[in-house]
Amino acid sequence: MSIETCIAHAIHKDLDILEAVPDVQKVPVEELETYVEQYITAVQDILCTIVETKGESYLRSKDAAGLCAACLDAGISLPPRMLLRMCQTIVQLTTLDAQFILDTEDGTSLYYVRMAVS
């Protein structure tokens, strides 16, 4: 999987918007979707930049804590526990090689998956 895909999965799986941005509760309902979308896009862009510039050694050594520390050092403003979970997901997914094959008639996506097991 590409780094961008791994980060997108980590955000989808581990980001709790209410914990990350408690003030989101004060955003008017009609602005909420746009606000959350912009926030998630910004987080994804920042994480991609950090992981691409500083994360290669952490990914190779499967060091999620080191990757998390590098992200915090670079100024990402997420709660450390949440960011650590996201970094763990990113590290796990970088060892996974998945390729989309097809969508079945019942709507299920079929992937070919190769992974490294240690």
Side-chain angles (χ1 to χ4, degrees), residues 1-4 6-7 47-48 50-68 86-95:
M1 273 188 203
S2 71
I3 294 298
E4 293 83 12
C6 294
I7 291 170
L47 276 174
C48 284
I50 293 169
V51 171
E52 288 173 353
T53 58
K54 301 180 180 184
E56 185 178 340
S57 62
Y58 300 111
L59 294 175
R60 260 190 275 121
S61 63
K62 298 179 183 164
D63 182 7
L67 181 60
C68 180
M86 291 172 71
C87 289
Q88 288 168 335
T89 300
I90 293 166
V91 167
Q92 289 170 355
L93 290 175
T94 56
T95 61

Side-chain angles (χ1 to χ4, degrees), residues 11-67:
I11 289 172
H12 178 74
K13 179 178 177 260
D14 300 313
L15 180 72
D16 178 351
I17 193 73
L18 291 175
E19 183 181 346
V21 188
D23 290 342
V24 77
Q25 296 176 21
K26 297 176 185 174
V27 175
V29 173
E30 51 280 343
E31 298 172 19
L32 190 59
E33 181 180 358
T34 304
Y35 180 86
V36 170
E37 185 177 323
Q38 289 173 346
Y39 180 81
I40 289 172
T41 301
V43 167
Q44 184 167 3
D45 291 344
I46 292 167
L47 276 174
C48 284
T49 301
I50 293 169
V51 171
E52 288 173 353
T53 58
K54 301 180 180 184
E56 185 178 340
S57 62
Y58 300 111
L59 294 175
R60 260 190 275 121
S61 63
K62 298 179 183 164
D63 182 7
L67 181 60

